[in-house]
Amino acid sequence: SVFMGYSDLGCYGSEIATPNLDKLAAGGVRFTQFYNTARCCSTRASLLTGLYSHQAGIGHMVEDKGLDGYRGQLNDKCVTIAQVMKSAGYATYITGKWHVTRELKGDGPKTAWPLQRGFDRYYGTILGGGNYWDPAGLTRDNTFITHITDKEYQPKAGEPFYYTDAIADNAIRFISEHHQKMPEKPFFFYCAFTAAHWPMHARPEDIAKYKGKYDAGYEPVRLARLEKMRKLGLIKPEWKLTEQAGDWDKVADKAWEARCMEVYAAMVDRLDQSIGRIVENLRQTGQLDNTLILFLQDNGACAEPTGRNRGAEEVKDRPAKPTMAPLPDGEVMMGSSPTRTRDGYPIRHGVGVMPGPEDTHIAYGKSWANVSNTPFREYKHWEHEGGVSTPLIAYWPKGIERHGDLENQPGHLVDIMVTAAELGGATYPKQFNGHDITPAEGTSLVPALAGKPIERAGIYWEHEGNRAVRVGNWKLVAKGPGGKWELYDMNADRTETNDLASAHPDKVKELKEKWETWAKRTGAIPWPWKPAYGASDAGADAGGAGTGAAAGGAAGGAGGTKPGKRAAGKGAGGFSKERVFTLKAGDLLDGEAAPDTGGKSLRITAKIAESGEGVILAQGGTASGFTLYIHDGLPTLAVRIGNKLHAVAAMEKLPSGPIELSASLAKDGAATIAVNGKESARGKFPGPLNRTPTDSLSAGQDSNAAVGEYTAPNAFKGKLGEIKLELE
């Protein structure tokens, strides 16, 4: 499942009804310290291959960054778990989310699609997310389809299509057909639900179950979960609860905020119902007793504010009738954030727009994600426990004699491959299709399922420069490429509230060296070309990362790296005093070299040789920042002020080029976009940035947490010339 927190299942502390997963937990084993990679793409790459995601080519998302660890799709140095199990005589099936390829053209190459990577049948979405009522990138086997034109599956008469149900229905169909046609042949099934990934879409009857359940706000739910988790033995009483995110007393529209969590709970509820139907089908076909079922999540709860703010031109209320012409039934929706429904209604965002229906696109936000991650720190993206901790439920009537036990040994996604291969009698290959295959990284969980000890040297993480290593009970973790290392004793303080780095410098040095050795070996550095790992650390063989000319001043791009720009002197908060910055694609200004944009008007001028999608200039992240980018051909200027997103987009798509694009934000909040000197958009923001972001300024991509409604780094796909930033 997707985007769920550690405490979101009933058997892990939640008030959400998950009776089917709770039953599996009661009849099997719950792992208390199992880990993912903190992001959907990288988790899927690791789960599928038994490698750290960088080794499989997906160290970040599905874009090619010009480095082997960050090619954006499964490479030819890895094999999937389906290919390995197939070699032992297994039939292989998948339903749901794929999201490990950048090959998204229906008539283009499909080297990293499911059927080309060992699966016999596929139904699901090649992309990472989207509308549950009309999924983007819906695919059957090797062909894009829509839920309307799919000749093999339609929902029950009178019911609307809903993607969570469809994933389960097609899983049941594949399992049933397998039992009918080849009952003696074993099967491997990967069922990849997208729930509870934004947008918050759920069936009305499921939402109704949770009406009023969250009216008291964040803290009571979080404290109730904490108490339940302690009683279940999932967490130790001495572990401190981390800081509360969000103040319910200051929430202006409490009904809307509560509704966001009601819909989220309904999505998890429907996920559990769907899993229950699959399990019942296995029972009815006589296959349940000898089937190992593993349930886990791809990252921690998501704090992204997607769709929680409304642009100046956007509507709050659903129009009385469609405002756009309907799309053809056979037109495949693409992209995780659509602007319209198939029947022509605009997608609505922002406070007061009650999530759930097809024409809404809203995430439940940081404060509820904090509840989902009880009692841990941070969220999806980060390598603190809130980002990487997942439940793992293992259920196997004939193979696991423990019922309801907790298994406290740490484990990681890389363990699934070797565990499946061992149980299935398969051999992980040294070569496949003429290519040398990277040796598997994992440790078999078979002994742990029986309550016996397993041995491992360590567990490692890297994502967007966030990084960590765990050896035994020690965990070293850092936020961002330039962030300082923090040290925690996971036995005494798994909630990471007592940093022991200053008390144990030798342990910090030891674990830091282990992480660096791992990162170089697996290709986890040098991206994203920050000063923490320049040429002296990564080495020329790691992709040519250079050292920055100023503290925090390294810069880089897809074609290599460039010297960082040294500031003339410090401004407020240690930023540059300069007022004009001239950049080119790939430049990155950090620390003392970064512009002091807080409270100032700004103007961006970019010469575009060839138009394309992506970020032109960005500084900041999800709390504060600005970005100028192109989406669906439309220039968009967006700012985050006090964690809230405000955006204005041009009304007409850019010509192919060359062009000069400019955008400005005045101190009174007036925002404009112009193309070749002609105004193309005008809007009004609350004002300039209320503070200077601590994140770097990057040209041609957003190198940190996303400022706009896109997935970072969202590198520009066209050709950029000079980019100029002018401050008041």
Side-chain angles (χ1 to χ4, degrees):
S1 67
V2 185
F3 276 31
M4 289 170 61
Y6 185 78
S7 71
D8 276 333
L9 304 181
C11 54
Y12 277 82
S14 181
E15 71 294 333
I16 300 172
T18 57
N20 294 292
L21 285 165
D22 296 352
K23 188 174 182 179
L24 295 182
V29 174
R30 275 169 296 166
F31 283 72
T32 65
Q33 299 192 79
F34 204 78
Y35 289 113
N36 53 45
T37 70
R39 196 65 177 273
C40 45
C41 286
S42 50
T43 282
R44 285 155 212 284
S46 189
L47 172 66
L48 282 165
T49 66
L51 303 175
Y52 286 105
S53 61
H54 313 80
Q55 296 171 299
I58 308 181
H60 187 243
M61 299 293 283
V62 287
E63 306 95 10
D64 188 349
K65 297 183 178 301
L67 296 163
D68 286 347
Y70 301 91
R71 291 295 179 185
Q73 71 175 14
L74 298 179
N75 59 34
D76 57 14
K77 299 175 184 177
C78 67
V79 286
T80 69
I81 194 169
Q83 289 169 321
V84 171
M85 300 306 286
K86 205 174 186 70
S87 71
Y90 278 68
T92 55
Y93 308 99
I94 171 177
T95 58
K97 178 174 175 174
W98 183 242
H99 208 197
V100 286
T101 182
R102 62 176 190 270
E103 300 167 331
L104 300 179
K105 294 183 178 179
D107 56 355
K110 299 182 175 70
T111 62
W113 281 39
L115 267 60
Q116 283 68 28
R117 290 302 177 122
F119 288 96
D120 295 323
R121 294 298 311 275
Y122 175 51
Y123 172 88
T125 41
I126 288 290
L127 304 175
N131 196 305
Y132 285 76
W133 307 104
D134 190 358
L138 191 62
T139 305
R140 184 171 293 284
D141 295 328
N142 268 338
T143 305
F144 281 131
I145 57 173
T146 74
H147 71 286
I148 300 172
T149 61
D150 186 5
K151 296 180 179 179
E152 296 189 32
Y153 169 76
Q154 290 294 315
K156 294 178 182 178
E159 289 190 2
F161 178 95
Y162 185 68
Y163 189 37
T164 301
D165 291 340
I167 291 172
D169 289 343
N170 281 273
I172 290 168
R173 176 186 172 185
F174 289 164
I175 292 170
S176 298
E177 290 180 351
H178 174 89
H179 178 67
Q180 293 165 4
K181 297 177 181 179
M182 50 186 99
E184 302 306 316
K185 190 180 180 74
F187 70 87
F188 170 80
F189 205 112
Y190 174 34
C191 189
F193 287 98
T194 55
H197 192 299
W198 48 254
M200 300 295 102
H201 284 167
R203 291 190 179 278
E205 61 268 30
D206 292 329
I207 300 172
K209 295 180 187 179
Y210 297 92
K211 179 64 176 175
K213 202 169 189 70
Y214 301 102
D215 287 356
Y218 318 119
E219 188 174 23
V221 183
R222 197 164 180 248
L223 292 176
R225 290 191 180 193
L226 179 71
E227 181 180 0
K228 184 177 179 181
M229 295 173 82
R230 286 173 173 168
K231 288 181 178 178
L232 290 171
L234 293 163
I235 62 175
K236 295 184 177 182
E238 61 266 29
W239 293 349
K240 295 179 181 178
L241 179 62
T242 53
E243 184 179 356
Q244 172 72 48
D247 184 343
W248 189 253
D249 290 339
K250 295 181 180 179
V251 173
D253 192 335
K254 291 181 171 59
W256 175 78
E257 185 72 357
R259 167 75 173 216
C260 288
M261 187 61 190
E262 291 170 4
V263 179
Y264 178 85
M267 296 171 75
V268 176
D269 189 309
R270 179 60 64 160
L271 165 70
D272 182 80
Q273 295 176 49
S274 299
I275 291 171
R277 293 194 295 113
I278 295 172
V279 173
E280 181 58 28
N281 180 258
L282 288 168
R283 190 188 314 279
Q284 291 176 359
T285 55
Q287 300 174 98
L288 181 61
D289 284 352
N290 201 32
T291 299
L292 170 63
I293 299 173
L294 299 174
F295 173 87
L296 69 159
Q297 297 155 194
D298 67 355
N299 47 242
C302 177
E304 294 166 356
T306 303
R308 292 176 63 83
N309 299 287
R310 186 165 43 253
E313 279 76 36
E314 292 184 310
V315 298
K316 174 184 176 182
D317 299 317
R318 179 181 173 90
K321 59 182 180 180
T323 59
M324 292 161 276
L327 297 175
D329 290 350
E331 182 169 333
V332 179
M333 302 287 272
M334 298 295 283
S336 60
S337 299
T339 59
R340 53 162 298 160
T341 64
R342 186 173 294 274
D343 56 0
Y345 286 94
I347 298 296
R348 296 176 294 137
H349 313 89
V351 176
V353 174
M354 293 300 186
E358 180 181 0
D359 65 336
T360 65
H361 190 94
I362 297 167
Y364 74 158
K366 181 177 181 178
S367 298
W368 288 121
N370 178 237
V371 173
S372 289
N373 278 341
T374 303
F376 299 132
R377 280 180 60 190
E378 302 303 339
Y379 312 88
K380 167 196 170 188
H381 296 276
W382 290 281
E383 312 295 6
H384 288 76
E385 294 293 286
V388 297
S389 298
T390 173
L392 175 67
I393 299 171
Y395 176 83
W396 180 15
K398 282 192 175 181
I400 299 177
E401 296 181 359
R402 306 163 71 191
H403 297 157
D405 285 6
L406 299 179
E407 178 53 60
N408 297 318
Q409 295 185 84
H412 188 275
L413 295 157
V414 293
D415 301 337
I416 304 296
M417 168 72 86
V418 291
T419 302
E422 178 179 341
L423 293 174
T427 301
Y428 185 91
K430 294 182 178 180
Q431 290 188 324
F432 191 84
N433 288 344
H435 300 285
D436 290 336
I437 299 301
T438 304
E441 292 279 347
T443 299
S444 173
L445 297 175
V446 173
L449 296 176
K452 298 177 182 178
I454 56 178
E455 295 183 5
R456 67 171 76 245
I459 299 173
Y460 298 86
W461 294 268
E462 187 282 331
H463 182 68
E464 295 179 331
N466 303 307
R467 55 207 189 279
V469 52
R470 176 167 176 175
V471 177
N473 287 328
W474 288 107
K475 181 182 176 185
L476 191 70
V477 59
K479 290 179 67 174
K484 74 179 186 68
W485 287 109
E486 305 164 17
L487 180 68
Y488 299 101
D489 180 345
M490 292 285 101
N491 184 50
D493 175 35
R494 194 178 168 204
T495 53
E496 299 168 311
T497 60
N498 183 25
D499 182 4
L500 300 174
S502 60
H504 298 278
D506 290 345
K507 181 59 67 174
V508 172
K509 182 176 183 294
E510 173 194 339
L511 295 180
K512 177 176 178 287
E513 290 174 352
K514 285 181 180 292
W515 185 88
E516 290 171 352
T517 298
W518 167 85
K520 294 170 187 175
R521 177 176 68 83
T522 60
I525 51 178
W527 191 84
W529 296 290
K530 289 294 187 73
Y533 293 98
S536 62
D537 292 297
D541 61 341
T547 54
T561 59
K562 309 165 185 66
K565 297 177 182 295
R566 178 172 286 279
K570 284 187 179 181
F575 300 102
S576 173
K577 292 180 180 178
E578 297 291 334
R579 290 294 174 264
V580 179
F581 298 81
T582 303
L583 308 115
K584 55 186 177 295
D587 281 346
L588 186 149
L589 303 184
D590 209 343
E592 297 177 12
D596 183 16
T597 49
K600 298 179 177 63
S601 65
L602 58 87
R603 179 179 176 82
I604 305 165
T605 307
K607 297 184 183 301
I608 302 176
E610 183 178 318
S611 294
E613 299 284 292
V615 171
I616 295 171
L617 192 68
Q619 181 185 18
T622 57
S624 175
F626 72 88
T627 178
L628 177 63
Y629 64 102
I630 312 298
H631 176 66
D632 286 342
L634 301 176
T636 302
L637 176 66
V639 299
R640 288 195 187 271
I641 301 172
N643 295 296
K644 292 185 178 181
L645 179 66
H646 309 271
V648 60
M651 302 301 293
E652 296 182 0
K653 293 187 176 183
L654 285 178
S656 59
I659 57 173
E660 181 176 277
L661 175 67
S662 62
S664 64
L665 173 61
K667 291 196 73 172
D668 65 358
T672 61
I673 298 174
V675 179
N676 291 331
K678 181 180 179 181
E679 186 173 298
S680 180
R682 176 175 289 273
K684 188 68 181 291
F685 297 159
L689 301 188
N690 60 338
R691 63 179 178 83
T692 299
T694 56
D695 302 86
S696 56
L697 175 81
S698 49
Q701 64 177 342
D702 187 340
S703 63
N704 299 285
V707 179
E709 288 198 318
Y710 49 73
T711 299
N714 194 21
F716 190 72
K717 302 298 191 298
K719 293 182 180 179
L720 288 172
E722 180 183 275
I723 305 166
K724 182 179 289 187
L725 172 65
E726 300 171 87
L727 305 180
E728 177 191 354

